Amino acid sequence: MSGTVVVTGLSVAAPNGLGTADYWAATTAGHSGIGPVTRFDASPYPAGLAGEVPGFVAEDHLPGRLLPQTDRMTRMALVVADWALADAGVRPADLSAYDMGVATASSSGGFEFGQNELRALWSKGNQYVSAYQSFAWFYAVNTGQISIRNGMKGPGSVVVSDQAGGLDALAQARRQVRKGTPLVLSGAIDASLCPWGWVAQMSDGRLSTTRDPERAYLPFDAAAHGYVPGEGGALLVVEDEEAAHRRGARSLGEIAGYGATFDPAPGSGRPPALRAAIETALRDADVAAADVDAVFADGAGLPQPDRAEARALTEVFGPRGVPVTVPKTMTGRLHSGAAALDVAGALLALRDGLIPPTVNVTRDPELPLDLVQTARPARLGTVLVLARGRHGFNSAMVLRAPRTRQGDI
């Protein structure tokens, strides 16, 4: 094992594109997937916009036996896992089962499945509740179902840290690879766009109540007033660089550094800990702040968290010291899936030398950020991805462009 951990394949399900090619084309063009909720009647609720993955029909991709036992979230995860493995040139049947692991993140589990079964319980009785309810709602179900479908018997894990979970899962995958598991499928897909999940998300008052898709989610804008939720995310194939090279795989980029912190309790008088997470990730990657070519920011879409993130970025990089982008303005915040999707976007940005835009936002002049508002060509070698979860989670990940080496494909 080389100790260098790389991504060799990825795929996505996003509100502005199903599959990597559609997602990236829409994202670089600034096309949003945010719109009125269609998966249920949201008219009685204060909030009515979401990012819904278009064109996903599970029956087109999965055997019928899986459909009664899986939530929409898991169905998407299984399909995206298939696509990511194919992108990496991996046929699980050709590898040792114990050489493949799975590490995912989840913020809610199979909410829609759980809601349907609880409705059956309340309206009809317990004899109408599916036996699959015992696990389909569970936050670890994606790890389990991906492992079973692909015969992956190596380490399996799940991380629950809200929006930060996608980065935390990828960090766990890197740990497992460094411990000796040659390949780990990692990332996150979330989907809880149902009345039960909607009410849960509305409970803390952070959802945007604006019905105009172009004015609903405005991170780093003086008019920021909430976020738009969404579904989807990304899954990535994580491998040891030397092992990947031996099997003829190409690297999309290196997971070079990672840091995670937890904010102090409100009222403690201590500052937020996002800056510490950034600095930890930079040290882990052995890079200086000046080496970072772009930042994929968390972008809470609320005044106080946005100011805190802008302050952390300014303290580390200086005023307008690094290009900052929030492509999730085109998808909404996908909970645990958001950071994984940002990692996929960052790797594609490294590949193409193009920073995707932050759409619909007019930067608050009080925030000294170089906010990328139209797609910007750039020489990219190192990119930082940030994610924060409710109740204090902070995570930061440094991605480095792949090294050119003889024999790479």
Side-chain angles (χ1 to χ4, degrees), residues 226-318:
Y227 74 89
V228 173
E231 63 179 3
L235 292 171
L236 304 92
V237 178
V238 179
E239 298 187 66
D240 174 76
E241 184 182 47
E242 291 296 337
H245 181 65
R246 284 195 299 271
R247 73 173 185 85
R250 91 310 198 193
S251 167
L252 299 174
E254 177 191 353
I255 300 177
Y258 166 75
T261 58
F262 200 80
D263 285 339
S268 67
R270 292 180 290 156
L274 178 61
R275 175 181 176 178
I278 296 170
E279 292 173 337
T280 299
L282 296 178
R283 285 194 302 271
D284 186 37
D286 194 24
V287 299
D291 297 324
V292 174
D293 301 306
V295 174
F296 281 59
D298 176 70
L302 292 155
Q304 184 175 348
D306 283 350
R307 285 194 295 269
E309 185 172 18
R311 183 165 55 251
L313 289 171
T314 302
E315 290 170 350
V316 174
F317 298 103

Side-chain angles (χ1 to χ4, degrees), residues 1-396:
M1 295 290 180
S2 66
T4 299
V5 177
V6 297
V7 176
T8 57
L10 63 86
S11 191
V12 309
N16 62 342
L18 177 61
T20 304
D22 286 353
Y23 160 72
W24 191 236
T27 297
T28 54
H31 294 163
S32 174
I34 293 174
V37 173
T38 66
R39 292 193 56 75
F40 64 95
D41 179 12
S43 59
Y45 301 95
L49 297 177
E52 298 179 342
V53 174
F56 178 74
V57 180
E59 292 83 351
D60 292 345
H61 307 285
L62 297 172
R65 63 176 176 79
L66 281 175
L67 301 181
Q69 59 182 279
T70 50
D71 182 76
R72 177 176 171 85
M73 168 195 76
T74 301
R75 295 170 185 175
M76 272 198 283
L78 288 168
V79 173
V80 173
D82 287 350
W83 293 345
L85 290 166
D87 186 52
V90 172
R91 292 184 70 252
D94 294 341
L95 303 179
S96 168
Y98 292 96
D99 284 343
M100 299 178 290
V102 182
T104 68
S106 177
S107 67
S108 59
F111 251 50
E112 187 173 21
F113 193 104
Q115 174 183 296
N116 291 337
E117 297 309 310
L118 288 173
R119 181 188 293 118
L121 173 66
W122 296 332
S123 63
K124 299 178 181 179
N126 58 11
Q127 67 270 33
Y128 292 95
V129 176
S130 168
Y132 298 124
Q133 167 69 356
S134 61
F135 60 80
W137 69 272
F138 192 39
Y139 58 86
V141 66
N142 286 356
T143 290
Q145 290 282 19
I146 291 169
S147 299
I148 293 167
R149 178 169 169 81
N150 295 285
M152 296 173 160
K153 297 183 179 180
S157 58
V158 63
V159 178
V160 181
S161 48
D162 191 53
Q163 191 90 7
L167 295 189
D168 297 338
L170 286 164
Q172 175 68 3
R174 184 174 73 146
R175 291 187 199 102
Q176 293 296 350
V177 169
R178 286 178 166 177
K179 289 179 178 179
T181 303
L183 181 152
V184 179
L185 185 66
S186 185
I189 300 286
D190 244 333
S192 56
L193 299 182
C194 61
W196 190 21
W198 202 249
V199 172
Q201 293 177 74
M202 288 175 53
S203 63
D204 66 359
R206 294 188 172 204
L207 284 196
S208 171
T209 56
T210 300
R211 299 281 172 153
D212 179 355
E214 294 186 358
R215 300 304 300 162
Y217 175 38
L218 303 171
F220 303 121
D221 190 310
H225 58 280
Y227 74 89
V228 173
E231 63 179 3
L235 292 171
L236 304 92
V237 178
V238 179
E239 298 187 66
D240 174 76
E241 184 182 47
E242 291 296 337
H245 181 65
R246 284 195 299 271
R247 73 173 185 85
R250 91 310 198 193
S251 167
L252 299 174
E254 177 191 353
I255 300 177
Y258 166 75
T261 58
F262 200 80
D263 285 339
S268 67
R270 292 180 290 156
L274 178 61
R275 175 181 176 178
I278 296 170
E279 292 173 337
T280 299
L282 296 178
R283 285 194 302 271
D284 186 37
D286 194 24
V287 299
D291 297 324
V292 174
D293 301 306
V295 174
F296 281 59
D298 176 70
L302 292 155
Q304 184 175 348
D306 283 350
R307 285 194 295 269
E309 185 172 18
R311 183 165 55 251
L313 289 171
T314 302
E315 290 170 350
V316 174
F317 298 103
R320 300 178 181 84
V322 64
V324 174
T325 186
V326 192
K328 61 176 70 71
T329 50
M330 293 172 268
T331 65
R333 293 177 70 81
L334 314 183
H335 306 288
S336 66
L341 186 63
D342 274 348
V343 168
L347 291 168
L348 295 168
L350 287 167
R351 182 194 70 184
D352 293 348
L354 187 66
I355 306 172
T358 305
V359 302
N360 300 325
V361 170
T362 300
R363 180 184 59 82
D364 185 340
E366 295 186 4
L367 303 180
L369 299 176
D370 176 12
L371 193 65
V372 176
Q373 295 175 273
T374 58
R376 181 186 300 181
R379 292 180 61 88
L380 300 176
T382 303
V383 174
L384 176 70
V385 179
L386 302 181
R388 294 174 295 169
R390 281 180 287 186
H391 311 301
F393 295 102
N394 302 294
S395 294

